[in-house]
Amino acid sequence: MGMTRNIFQPQPPTTKNKEGFSAYTRSLEEQYVQTLLTNTLGNTFYTDQNQMIEEATQLHHEIAKENPHFMAKAIVFARNEGFMRLQPLFGLALLSLYRPDLFSTVFLQVVRIPSDLSDFLTILQSMGRGEGGRAVKRQVNRFLANVSEYWALKYNGRGRGYSLGDVIATAHPKPIDLKQQALFRYLRGHEVNKALLPQIEAVEKLKQAKTENEQIEWIQTGKLPYETVTSAIKPTKAIWEALLYQMPVFALLRHLQALTRTGVFEDQSHLDYAVKRLTDRQALEKTKILPFQFAKAFKQIEHPELRDALRVAVDLTFDNLPELGEKTAIFLDISGSMSGDYLQIGSVFALALYKKTKGNSLFWLFDTNVVDAKPSRFDSILSQADKIRARGGTDTGAPVRKLTQERRLVDQIIIITDEQQNSGSPFYRELLNYRSVVNPHVKAFIVDIAPYRHAMVPPQDEKTFYIYGWSDTVLSYIAQAAAGYDTIVQKVESLPL
């Protein structure tokens, strides 16, 4: 009787969403994972930046008091599997206040690069905690022990919060050898023997170079990062050509416009190299570029061969994910509140999911109406995503209602949405009806790419899984959960500390 009630009897709503429609409150842990994976502290359709910061601050404090062990694991998960930065760093700063021991355990797993450290210390200062005390200083010194010349050149810009030199001045790390001593002195702006620091010496020679050929020679000799070169000199076309062959894949993606504008790709050999780099499967796996970043570049670039390369790159990004079952219904929310990044991200995910079902699933778009998107298995994800537009209100129940009316038998329903119902029948009600009429065992996966804390389904529903975030791990998790894995909260809880 109890199982039957859980499957077919609606649980009463516990709250309201941003549109005033009935909604549910998920567990504190789940709300926290959602905030870490979706809240970039930017404006959303319903909430401005100040309100997002206020809500995030409240949630960080709540989880730190109630479940600091989960908090520590979640911020590591968000930084390394969700590829988010600011919210995990914000959480780390608060964790240092509540549980210095847990903070020390996870610090180097969250603060991965110098810009992480700079933002972390800026957050601490904004909280009125100065440099954070001894526990923080110890971890900062552990980080500084690994600073390289490359990091020194790339991340020591002044006037953008804490530079590495500022951090060294406050933390007073002890150098382990003459080279590190010279590096720390350089970062503090002191005179050093640059023979100990060949990359830094190359930068100084670059600044003094009289000819373009000399400049290129020092760029190549020092293997200088593009940020250092472009801040030291004004790059010419020839300089950009030299930088092209030293750029990591992500830097290449970000600078496609600049390289195109300066005429670098007028030379077919340079274009061929860029295409090869952008479509290098191993490089893409190593770089972990978020899928929507390809979509943004695709909108900015008009060069046909580069657009083709981006199409291939996105398909390769999802190519190594597990296959999904063919009896799958994929529903993409295209309502007005999804406009902009949300729809761009959601479209890429939805089409990647469709391809993982080998094209045998349903793929419907919905606002207050439902439309069969009729996607192609063979056309690229980016080309198809670029054609999807936002419109109208939100009826999350509409696609499930249509599924029931047509008696379509599916084993799993995947809906990508910001969950902000404002008309029609709620998703949960229609899901329960589908289970009672068509398939009582259907699993539902709600991919929520927005930071609002209200949910469409109560936590008691054991056949519904929430997934949050923007990385390709979202799709991997769906495949795992469909095969019987745990919820995302259970996945975080299982991580070692």
PDB file of all heavy atoms in Angstrom, residues 24-43:
ATOM      1  N   TYR A  24       7.995  22.408  -4.781  1.00  0.00           N
ATOM      2  CA  TYR A  24       8.432  21.589  -3.650  1.00  0.00           C
ATOM      3  C   TYR A  24       9.816  22.033  -3.191  1.00  0.00           C
ATOM      4  O   TYR A  24      10.585  22.619  -3.950  1.00  0.00           O
ATOM      5  CB  TYR A  24       8.479  20.110  -4.056  1.00  0.00           C
ATOM      6  CG  TYR A  24       7.130  19.569  -4.460  1.00  0.00           C
ATOM      7  CD1 TYR A  24       6.704  19.657  -5.784  1.00  0.00           C
ATOM      8  CD2 TYR A  24       6.282  19.000  -3.522  1.00  0.00           C
ATOM      9  CE1 TYR A  24       5.455  19.174  -6.166  1.00  0.00           C
ATOM     10  CE2 TYR A  24       5.032  18.515  -3.888  1.00  0.00           C
ATOM     11  CZ  TYR A  24       4.626  18.610  -5.210  1.00  0.00           C
ATOM     12  OH  TYR A  24       3.395  18.137  -5.578  1.00  0.00           O
ATOM     13  N   THR A  25      10.103  21.721  -1.957  1.00  0.00           N
ATOM     14  CA  THR A  25      11.422  22.017  -1.396  1.00  0.00           C
ATOM     15  C   THR A  25      12.222  20.731  -1.331  1.00  0.00           C
ATOM     16  O   THR A  25      11.775  19.751  -0.711  1.00  0.00           O
ATOM     17  CB  THR A  25      11.299  22.617   0.015  1.00  0.00           C
ATOM     18  OG1 THR A  25      10.483  23.793  -0.047  1.00  0.00           O
ATOM     19  CG2 THR A  25      12.668  22.973   0.577  1.00  0.00           C
ATOM     20  N   ARG A  26      13.380  20.716  -1.959  1.00  0.00           N
ATOM     21  CA  ARG A  26      14.247  19.547  -1.886  1.00  0.00           C
ATOM     22  C   ARG A  26      15.134  19.664  -0.648  1.00  0.00           C
ATOM     23  O   ARG A  26      15.112  20.665   0.062  1.00  0.00           O
ATOM     24  CB  ARG A  26      15.109  19.463  -3.155  1.00  0.00           C
ATOM     25  CG  ARG A  26      14.348  19.510  -4.461  1.00  0.00           C
ATOM     26  CD  ARG A  26      13.568  18.258  -4.763  1.00  0.00           C
ATOM     27  NE  ARG A  26      14.428  17.122  -5.060  1.00  0.00           N
ATOM     28  CZ  ARG A  26      13.982  15.951  -5.498  1.00  0.00           C
ATOM     29  NH1 ARG A  26      12.683  15.758  -5.673  1.00  0.00           N
ATOM     30  NH2 ARG A  26      14.810  14.959  -5.756  1.00  0.00           N
ATOM     31  N   SER A  27      15.924  18.654  -0.384  1.00  0.00           N
ATOM     32  CA  SER A  27      16.772  18.656   0.807  1.00  0.00           C
ATOM     33  C   SER A  27      17.798  19.779   0.748  1.00  0.00           C
ATOM     34  O   SER A  27      18.131  20.289  -0.328  1.00  0.00           O
ATOM     35  CB  SER A  27      17.506  17.319   0.939  1.00  0.00           C
ATOM     36  OG  SER A  27      18.499  17.201  -0.071  1.00  0.00           O
ATOM     37  N   LEU A  28      18.299  20.165   1.914  1.00  0.00           N
ATOM     38  CA  LEU A  28      19.322  21.204   1.992  1.00  0.00           C
ATOM     39  C   LEU A  28      20.539  20.815   1.165  1.00  0.00           C
ATOM     40  O   LEU A  28      21.124  21.652   0.457  1.00  0.00           O
ATOM     41  CB  LEU A  28      19.722  21.423   3.454  1.00  0.00           C
ATOM     42  CG  LEU A  28      20.873  22.397   3.712  1.00  0.00           C
ATOM     43  CD1 LEU A  28      20.494  23.802   3.245  1.00  0.00           C
ATOM     44  CD2 LEU A  28      21.239  22.394   5.200  1.00  0.00           C
ATOM     45  N   GLU A  29      20.928  19.544   1.232  1.00  0.00           N
ATOM     46  CA  GLU A  29      22.099  19.075   0.489  1.00  0.00           C
ATOM     47  C   GLU A  29      21.894  19.207  -1.013  1.00  0.00           C
ATOM     48  O   GLU A  29      22.806  19.612  -1.743  1.00  0.00           O
ATOM     49  CB  GLU A  29      22.407  17.617   0.863  1.00  0.00           C
ATOM     50  CG  GLU A  29      23.002  17.423   2.244  1.00  0.00           C
ATOM     51  CD  GLU A  29      21.970  17.549   3.364  1.00  0.00           C
ATOM     52  OE1 GLU A  29      20.742  17.532   3.070  1.00  0.00           O
ATOM     53  OE2 GLU A  29      22.371  17.653   4.536  1.00  0.00           O
ATOM     54  N   GLU A  30      20.691  18.882  -1.468  1.00  0.00           N
ATOM     55  CA  GLU A  30      20.435  18.975  -2.899  1.00  0.00           C
ATOM     56  C   GLU A  30      20.397  20.429  -3.358  1.00  0.00           C
ATOM     57  O   GLU A  30      20.922  20.776  -4.425  1.00  0.00           O
ATOM     58  CB  GLU A  30      19.123  18.281  -3.251  1.00  0.00           C
ATOM     59  CG  GLU A  30      18.925  18.150  -4.745  1.00  0.00           C
ATOM     60  CD  GLU A  30      17.898  17.104  -5.118  1.00  0.00           C
ATOM     61  OE1 GLU A  30      17.582  16.231  -4.292  1.00  0.00           O
ATOM     62  OE2 GLU A  30      17.418  17.176  -6.253  1.00  0.00           O
ATOM     63  N   GLN A  31      19.789  21.284  -2.552  1.00  0.00           N
ATOM     64  CA  GLN A  31      19.785  22.707  -2.882  1.00  0.00           C
ATOM     65  C   GLN A  31      21.208  23.246  -2.953  1.00  0.00           C
ATOM     66  O   GLN A  31      21.533  24.105  -3.790  1.00  0.00           O
ATOM     67  CB  GLN A  31      18.995  23.487  -1.835  1.00  0.00           C
ATOM     68  CG  GLN A  31      17.499  23.239  -1.844  1.00  0.00           C
ATOM     69  CD  GLN A  31      16.790  24.038  -0.774  1.00  0.00           C
ATOM     70  OE1 GLN A  31      16.930  25.254  -0.708  1.00  0.00           O
ATOM     71  NE2 GLN A  31      16.043  23.355   0.075  1.00  0.00           N
ATOM     72  N   TYR A  32      22.074  22.736  -2.090  1.00  0.00           N
ATOM     73  CA  TYR A  32      23.449  23.220  -2.064  1.00  0.00           C
ATOM     74  C   TYR A  32      24.204  22.802  -3.335  1.00  0.00           C
ATOM     75  O   TYR A  32      24.903  23.620  -3.950  1.00  0.00           O
ATOM     76  CB  TYR A  32      24.179  22.703  -0.831  1.00  0.00           C
ATOM     77  CG  TYR A  32      25.522  23.345  -0.627  1.00  0.00           C
ATOM     78  CD1 TYR A  32      25.625  24.727  -0.436  1.00  0.00           C
ATOM     79  CD2 TYR A  32      26.698  22.610  -0.652  1.00  0.00           C
ATOM     80  CE1 TYR A  32      26.855  25.341  -0.263  1.00  0.00           C
ATOM     81  CE2 TYR A  32      27.929  23.201  -0.479  1.00  0.00           C
ATOM     82  CZ  TYR A  32      28.005  24.580  -0.288  1.00  0.00           C
ATOM     83  OH  TYR A  32      29.226  25.184  -0.120  1.00  0.00           O
ATOM     84  N   VAL A  33      24.039  21.535  -3.722  1.00  0.00           N
ATOM     85  CA  VAL A  33      24.685  21.074  -4.955  1.00  0.00           C
ATOM     86  C   VAL A  33      24.184  21.888  -6.146  1.00  0.00           C
ATOM     87  O   VAL A  33      24.959  22.292  -7.017  1.00  0.00           O
ATOM     88  CB  VAL A  33      24.416  19.566  -5.176  1.00  0.00           C
ATOM     89  CG1 VAL A  33      24.892  19.135  -6.560  1.00  0.00           C
ATOM     90  CG2 VAL A  33      25.117  18.746  -4.105  1.00  0.00           C
ATOM     91  N   GLN A  34      22.881  22.162  -6.172  1.00  0.00           N
ATOM     92  CA  GLN A  34      22.309  22.962  -7.260  1.00  0.00           C
ATOM     93  C   GLN A  34      22.959  24.337  -7.322  1.00  0.00           C
ATOM     94  O   GLN A  34      23.335  24.820  -8.394  1.00  0.00           O
ATOM     95  CB  GLN A  34      20.797  23.108  -7.065  1.00  0.00           C
ATOM     96  CG  GLN A  34      20.133  23.978  -8.123  1.00  0.00           C
ATOM     97  CD  GLN A  34      18.666  24.227  -7.830  1.00  0.00           C
ATOM     98  OE1 GLN A  34      18.215  24.036  -6.715  1.00  0.00           O
ATOM     99  NE2 GLN A  34      17.931  24.656  -8.834  1.00  0.00           N
ATOM    100  N   THR A  35      23.080  24.994  -6.180  1.00  0.00           N
ATOM    101  CA  THR A  35      23.687  26.327  -6.140  1.00  0.00           C
ATOM    102  C   THR A  35      25.133  26.291  -6.615  1.00  0.00           C
ATOM    103  O   THR A  35      25.575  27.139  -7.394  1.00  0.00           O
ATOM    104  CB  THR A  35      23.604  26.908  -4.718  1.00  0.00           C
ATOM    105  OG1 THR A  35      22.234  27.219  -4.429  1.00  0.00           O
ATOM    106  CG2 THR A  35      24.433  28.175  -4.579  1.00  0.00           C
ATOM    107  N   LEU A  36      25.888  25.299  -6.173  1.00  0.00           N
ATOM    108  CA  LEU A  36      27.289  25.197  -6.580  1.00  0.00           C
ATOM    109  C   LEU A  36      27.437  25.006  -8.085  1.00  0.00           C
ATOM    110  O   LEU A  36      28.348  25.562  -8.708  1.00  0.00           O
ATOM    111  CB  LEU A  36      27.965  24.023  -5.866  1.00  0.00           C
ATOM    112  CG  LEU A  36      28.239  24.172  -4.374  1.00  0.00           C
ATOM    113  CD1 LEU A  36      28.777  22.859  -3.820  1.00  0.00           C
ATOM    114  CD2 LEU A  36      29.210  25.302  -4.077  1.00  0.00           C
ATOM    115  N   LEU A  37      26.534  24.239  -8.680  1.00  0.00           N
ATOM    116  CA  LEU A  37      26.692  23.847 -10.076  1.00  0.00           C
ATOM    117  C   LEU A  37      26.014  24.782 -11.065  1.00  0.00           C
ATOM    118  O   LEU A  37      26.276  24.706 -12.271  1.00  0.00           O
ATOM    119  CB  LEU A  37      26.162  22.425 -10.281  1.00  0.00           C
ATOM    120  CG  LEU A  37      26.953  21.318  -9.589  1.00  0.00           C
ATOM    121  CD1 LEU A  37      26.273  19.977  -9.801  1.00  0.00           C
ATOM    122  CD2 LEU A  37      28.390  21.265 -10.080  1.00  0.00           C
ATOM    123  N   THR A  38      25.133  25.664 -10.598  1.00  0.00           N
ATOM    124  CA  THR A  38      24.395  26.508 -11.541  1.00  0.00           C
ATOM    125  C   THR A  38      24.486  27.998 -11.249  1.00  0.00           C
ATOM    126  O   THR A  38      24.182  28.813 -12.124  1.00  0.00           O
ATOM    127  CB  THR A  38      22.898  26.131 -11.569  1.00  0.00           C
ATOM    128  OG1 THR A  38      22.323  26.373 -10.273  1.00  0.00           O
ATOM    129  CG2 THR A  38      22.700  24.674 -11.940  1.00  0.00           C
ATOM    130  N   ASN A  39      24.886  28.380 -10.053  1.00  0.00           N
ATOM    131  CA  ASN A  39      24.859  29.796  -9.686  1.00  0.00           C
ATOM    132  C   ASN A  39      26.211  30.434  -9.972  1.00  0.00           C
ATOM    133  O   ASN A  39      27.185  30.210  -9.257  1.00  0.00           O
ATOM    134  CB  ASN A  39      24.510  29.946  -8.208  1.00  0.00           C
ATOM    135  CG  ASN A  39      24.241  31.392  -7.825  1.00  0.00           C
ATOM    136  OD1 ASN A  39      24.686  32.316  -8.494  1.00  0.00           O
ATOM    137  ND2 ASN A  39      23.511  31.588  -6.752  1.00  0.00           N
ATOM    138  N   THR A  40      26.252  31.255 -11.012  1.00  0.00           N
ATOM    139  CA  THR A  40      27.494  31.938 -11.388  1.00  0.00           C
ATOM    140  C   THR A  40      27.549  33.360 -10.835  1.00  0.00           C
ATOM    141  O   THR A  40      28.414  34.143 -11.201  1.00  0.00           O
ATOM    142  CB  THR A  40      27.633  32.005 -12.913  1.00  0.00           C
ATOM    143  OG1 THR A  40      26.508  32.712 -13.448  1.00  0.00           O
ATOM    144  CG2 THR A  40      27.681  30.620 -13.516  1.00  0.00           C
ATOM    145  N   LEU A  41      26.598  33.704  -9.957  1.00  0.00           N
ATOM    146  CA  LEU A  41      26.494  35.041  -9.357  1.00  0.00           C
ATOM    147  C   LEU A  41      26.152  36.101 -10.395  1.00  0.00           C
ATOM    148  O   LEU A  41      26.344  37.288 -10.174  1.00  0.00           O
ATOM    149  CB  LEU A  41      27.781  35.420  -8.615  1.00  0.00           C
ATOM    150  CG  LEU A  41      28.128  34.536  -7.425  1.00  0.00           C
ATOM    151  CD1 LEU A  41      29.430  35.000  -6.780  1.00  0.00           C
ATOM    152  CD2 LEU A  41      27.023  34.530  -6.388  1.00  0.00           C
ATOM    153  N   GLY A  42      25.639  35.668 -11.532  1.00  0.00           N
ATOM    154  CA  GLY A  42      25.173  36.621 -12.540  1.00  0.00           C
ATOM    155  C   GLY A  42      23.671  36.771 -12.466  1.00  0.00           C
ATOM    156  O   GLY A  42      22.995  36.091 -11.697  1.00  0.00           O
ATOM    157  N   ASN A  43      23.131  37.681 -13.254  1.00  0.00           N
ATOM    158  CA  ASN A  43      21.688  37.871 -13.268  1.00  0.00           C
ATOM    159  C   ASN A  43      20.996  36.706 -13.960  1.00  0.00           C
ATOM    160  O   ASN A  43      21.518  36.124 -14.905  1.00  0.00           O
ATOM    161  CB  ASN A  43      21.326  39.173 -14.000  1.00  0.00           C
ATOM    162  CG  ASN A  43      21.806  40.399 -13.246  1.00  0.00           C
ATOM    163  OD1 ASN A  43      22.140  40.326 -12.073  1.00  0.00           O
ATOM    164  ND2 ASN A  43      21.832  41.523 -13.926  1.00  0.00           N
TER     165      ASN A  43
END
